[in-house]
Amino acid sequence: MKKGALTLSLAGALALSAVPLNSSVVEAVGNGPGYGGNETINTSILTTYSEMADFLKKQDAKQENMELEVIGQSVKGRDLYVAKYMSNPENPTILFLTQQHGNEQLTTEGALEFIKHLGTGKMKGVTDNVNILVVPMLNADGAMGDVDFSLEDYVASGDRNLTRYNALGVDLNRDHVTKIQPETKALHTNVMSKYDIDYMIDLHHQGANSERDGELVSGSILYPTTPNVDPEVLEGSKKLGAVVFNAVDSTGWGHLGKYRGGDAETISRNGIAVEYGISTLLFEMRGMSDHEYEPYVLGQKSNGYLIKQTVTTLESTVRAIADGSIDTQDTSFWDTLAFQQTRETE
């Protein structure tokens, strides 16, 4: 039996996920503030790497079904983690990957909240029929601003700046063929090649000014677009997207568009689908936690709903895989789902 008590010490942003979606939060989905030079963007409310590591270790001690594993180290020597729920090797397995880009953190906050839910009655019995892998904060150095290049032009204030790139200035989501960087090498060697994974959702953030049907989106989704993907893998990806779209877009506060993405296999959505035969889905949440380009940054009043959107995404997909309803998903919505457009600003 696992032992130990949970002492929740995460930063304020994680706590926001439990805040009820009142009218002001609902309004923020379509009209939530971009940075614009006026909004407060303070990274001190975000979970630090060390807080995340402590949280994962405490959950590992508390949750009987969870196993925490170190899969490698970052450029600067930070341990990289996977939280595992592997009740039966015969079960279908889903991987959730967050923060390949260090300045895209609210998905990590949501993933940590999801891990907490897995240790409560809220998700009782779900892990009996699905295996879950969660790799939070793959780009730990970028998330902490511990990099070998200047971040002086980045927008956020607080105890650190967050950057897209790893410590060496490399975009990890362009390294899924050569796998040169220690972070991507750890992911492929000790997760992708080690486990029999059926589905993956790669969680990112995008700019703050994308819209669909005239309304700002809360996020966007896309399946693998490389021509080399197996048709069955592609169909599984579209079914995974259907689960997410139906769960989020039906809430009244979520509004999803279709992402415009390339077909390069250096990108995880494409490369992992081809190399491992895994059905993959990209989910791009609205707005980034920090950036040098101001229109990409979203005011932190929107943090609560973006964290909740992540939790909704993760919980809905594991339930659909566990009960088999993913197999009957209607993927025809992809044919009419509009690509998001960048809203013109004055």
Side-chain angles (χ1 to χ4, degrees), residues 200 249 280 301 315:
M200 180 187 82
D249 212 70
T280 66
K301 292 178 183 177
E315 290 192 353

Side-chain angles (χ1 to χ4, degrees), residues 134-152:
V134 184
V135 176
M137 202 178 284
L138 184 68
N139 184 0
D141 298 339
M144 292 307 298
D146 184 10
V147 296
D148 297 335
F149 53 91
S150 174
L151 300 178
E152 62 181 359

Side-chain angles (χ1 to χ4, degrees), residues 18-302:
V19 175
L21 285 174
N22 58 33
S23 59
S24 63
V25 177
V26 172
E27 182 180 1
V29 176
N31 301 291
Y35 170 64
N38 300 313
E39 277 293 310
T40 299
I41 308 294
N42 191 335
T43 59
S44 63
I45 69 171
L46 299 175
T47 303
T48 65
Y49 167 80
S50 60
E51 288 169 340
M52 179 202 70
D54 288 345
F55 171 80
L56 292 173
K57 291 172 184 176
K58 288 170 182 175
Q59 289 294 321
D60 183 39
K62 177 184 178 181
Q63 295 190 36
E64 182 178 1
N65 293 331
M66 176 181 166
E67 181 181 354
L68 187 63
E69 180 181 327
V70 174
I71 61 172
Q73 285 74 38
S74 68
V75 171
K76 297 288 186 173
R78 291 179 171 86
D79 284 340
L80 306 174
Y81 294 99
V82 59
K84 304 188 298 183
Y85 298 81
M86 307 290 289
S87 59
N88 184 342
E90 300 301 316
N91 284 342
T93 300
I94 186 167
L95 165 66
F96 299 114
L97 175 62
T98 79
Q99 229 168 336
Q100 287 199 68
H101 297 144
N103 61 341
E104 301 174 3
Q105 181 151 342
L106 297 184
T107 58
T108 294
E109 307 289 350
L112 298 180
E113 182 72 8
F114 171 69
I115 287 171
K116 184 175 73 172
H117 287 185
L118 287 171
T120 69
K122 183 178 180 68
M123 300 293 287
K124 185 176 181 180
V126 173
T127 57
D128 292 342
N129 298 305
V130 59
N131 297 327
I132 304 167
L133 302 168
V134 184
V135 176
M137 202 178 284
L138 184 68
N139 184 0
D141 298 339
M144 292 307 298
D146 184 10
V147 296
D148 297 335
F149 53 91
S150 174
L151 300 178
E152 62 181 359
D153 294 329
Y154 277 57
V155 167
S157 59
D159 56 356
R160 70 191 190 277
N161 284 110
L162 290 69
T163 181
R164 176 182 182 91
Y165 308 105
N166 79 345
L168 301 178
V170 175
D171 186 332
L172 297 182
N173 201 28
R174 301 297 184 272
D175 188 39
H176 290 284
V177 173
T178 55
K179 310 176 185 73
I180 293 173
Q181 299 305 306
E183 296 92 348
T184 43
K185 187 180 297 183
L187 176 69
H188 282 268
T189 302
N190 294 318
V191 180
M192 310 313 306
S193 298
K194 185 175 179 180
Y195 300 101
D196 184 14
I197 300 169
D198 300 282
Y199 301 95
M200 180 187 82
I201 299 184
D202 186 19
L203 295 138
H204 287 262
H205 285 254
Q206 60 182 8
N209 296 324
S210 295
E211 63 181 10
R212 185 199 103 204
D213 300 333
E215 295 183 21
L216 290 170
V217 299
S218 59
S220 60
I221 55 177
L222 188 64
Y223 45 78
T225 51
T226 169
N228 297 321
V229 66
D230 182 273
E232 290 187 8
V233 172
L234 178 59
E235 181 64 12
S237 301
K238 290 184 175 182
K239 288 180 177 179
L240 189 60
V243 173
V244 173
F245 183 84
N246 292 334
V248 172
D249 212 70
S250 64
T251 61
W253 49 263
H255 184 60
L256 302 184
K258 191 175 182 180
Y259 188 74
R260 293 186 181 274
D263 59 6
E265 291 178 16
T266 53
I267 299 171
S268 63
R269 165 178 54 87
N270 293 321
I272 285 174
V274 171
E275 182 172 358
Y276 302 99
I278 295 171
S279 293
T280 66
L281 183 76
L282 170 69
F283 197 141
E284 296 268 357
M285 305 288 172
R286 181 183 177 220
M288 300 183 188
S289 304
D290 195 5
H291 205 280
E292 57 190 340
Y293 184 53
E294 291 184 3
Y296 283 179
V297 182
L298 188 64
Q300 62 193 41
K301 292 178 183 177
S302 299

